[in-house]
Amino acid sequence: MKVIISGYGRMGHMVEAKCREHGVEVAQASDDICATDPALAAECVCVDFTTPDAFKENYRFIAEHFKAAVVGTTGWYDIAPEVFRAFEANGTPLIWSANFSIGVNALFAAVEKTASVLRGHSYVPHITETHHIHKKDAPSGTAKVLGGIVENALGEAPRIDSVREGEVPGIHTVEFRSGCDVLVFTHEAFSREGLAEGAVAAVLLTEGLQGVHEFKDLII
């Protein structure tokens, strides 16, 4: 298994380190994925942690030339159908997620089950997400996914509040409140390491995979 990392910033470096821990070869790390030799790309899984604009520019090249792709970039979901069609048309497996943390994906599962149990029992949902001041999108992609899960399972869209302070890696809290009690689920990331760990787990899942998949649907 070989990977090429698209977006060689902090996350890219962390993914590189996690790949080596798990015996996955890093063939290349680049901020210009479209400059990759197509022959090399055909042997590799592309792991993308770039920006929404960069991914929107690059996804066609990735779909056309790579063996598979793992995409942790968020903010491109407005063109998701177009992206998915490109990967499906080229027969290139794609695993995407707003958050590759295994712990966050466990949160997704817990929230979905809880919301389905509470449906019809007058519980009001509320989501709060807190991140570092450098984060550009609000609400976070993870909060949006949580919001969709709650709305689908509970039948009511939650209010989502976003907080930007300091260097907080990420805290997501989902609350269900009624006149009788309150249930609270919180995931706090200590660093980006969990995202990198999950991304490498996704890379390993691409072997023999077909089609387009959200990460949580493969592990929950």
Side-chain angles (χ1 to χ4, degrees), residues 5 7-20 26 29 31 49 196:
I5 298 169
Y8 201 41
R10 288 179 293 179
M11 270 305 303
H13 282 82
M14 197 165 287
V15 169
E16 181 180 36
K18 284 294 177 182
C19 282
R20 288 176 175 153
V26 178
D31 287 322
F49 280 95

Side-chain angles (χ1 to χ4, degrees), residues 1 67 93 204-210:
M1 181 74 71
K67 179 181 178 181
L204 297 174
L205 288 173
T206 63
E207 192 67 39
L209 191 69
Q210 294 183 341

Side-chain angles (χ1 to χ4, degrees), residues 183-205:
L183 290 87
V184 181
F185 296 83
T186 297
H187 177 273
E188 179 176 359
F190 301 143
S191 71
R192 294 176 177 82
E193 186 175 355
L195 300 175
E197 182 72 30
V200 176
V203 166
L204 297 174
L205 288 173

Side-chain angles (χ1 to χ4, degrees), residues 122-172:
S122 301
Y123 280 83
V124 177
H126 176 215
I127 295 172
T128 304
E129 58 95 355
T130 304
H131 283 87
H132 52 84
I133 59 174
H134 313 290
K135 188 169 181 60
K136 296 178 181 178
D137 57 324
S140 67
T142 301
K144 291 178 181 177
V145 171
L146 284 165
I149 289 171
V150 171
E151 183 172 7
N152 289 336
L154 187 68
E156 181 177 346
R159 186 178 89 248
I160 301 177
D161 291 330
S162 299
V163 179
R164 297 291 175 262
E165 61 182 28
E167 298 296 330
V168 178
I171 303 171
H172 291 87

Side-chain angles (χ1 to χ4, degrees), residues 2-220:
K2 293 196 294 187
V3 306
I4 291 178
I5 298 169
S6 177
Y8 201 41
R10 288 179 293 179
M11 270 305 303
H13 282 82
M14 197 165 287
V15 169
E16 181 180 36
K18 284 294 177 182
C19 282
R20 288 176 175 153
E21 282 183 24
H22 289 276
V24 176
E25 180 183 348
V26 178
Q28 183 176 297
S30 173
D31 287 322
D32 184 9
I33 199 67
C34 294
T36 304
D37 179 351
L40 177 61
E43 302 175 353
C44 297
V45 178
C46 177
V47 180
D48 188 284
F49 280 95
T50 53
T51 66
D53 288 343
F55 181 72
K56 288 177 179 180
E57 289 291 324
N58 298 336
Y59 78 86
R60 291 183 185 85
F61 180 89
I62 296 170
E64 290 170 4
H65 296 288
F66 277 84
K67 179 181 178 181
V70 170
V71 178
T73 302
T74 60
W76 52 270
Y77 305 141
D78 56 314
I79 63 163
E82 180 182 332
V83 172
F84 296 161
R85 281 195 298 269
F87 279 88
E88 289 166 349
N90 286 279
T92 304
L94 167 65
I95 302 177
W96 65 277
S97 182
N99 194 314
F100 275 100
S101 162
I102 301 300
V104 165
N105 281 272
L107 176 67
F108 290 157
V111 166
E112 183 172 27
K113 179 62 177 178
T114 300
S116 66
V117 170
L118 299 179
R119 188 182 183 104
H121 295 286
S122 301
Y123 280 83
V124 177
H126 176 215
I127 295 172
T128 304
E129 58 95 355
T130 304
H131 283 87
H132 52 84
I133 59 174
H134 313 290
K135 188 169 181 60
K136 296 178 181 178
D137 57 324
S140 67
T142 301
K144 291 178 181 177
V145 171
L146 284 165
I149 289 171
V150 171
E151 183 172 7
N152 289 336
L154 187 68
E156 181 177 346
R159 186 178 89 248
I160 301 177
D161 291 330
S162 299
V163 179
R164 297 291 175 262
E165 61 182 28
E167 298 296 330
V168 178
I171 303 171
H172 291 87
T173 297
V174 183
E175 175 185 289
F176 299 95
R177 182 178 293 273
S178 75
C180 303
D181 55 14
V182 60
L183 290 87
V184 181
F185 296 83
T186 297
H187 177 273
E188 179 176 359
F190 301 143
S191 71
R192 294 176 177 82
E193 186 175 355
L195 300 175
E197 182 72 30
V200 176
V203 166
L204 297 174
L205 288 173
T206 63
E207 192 67 39
L209 191 69
Q210 294 183 341
V212 173
H213 303 270
E214 190 172 358
F215 184 53
K216 69 181 180 64
D217 295 333
L218 295 176
I219 66 170
I220 293 175

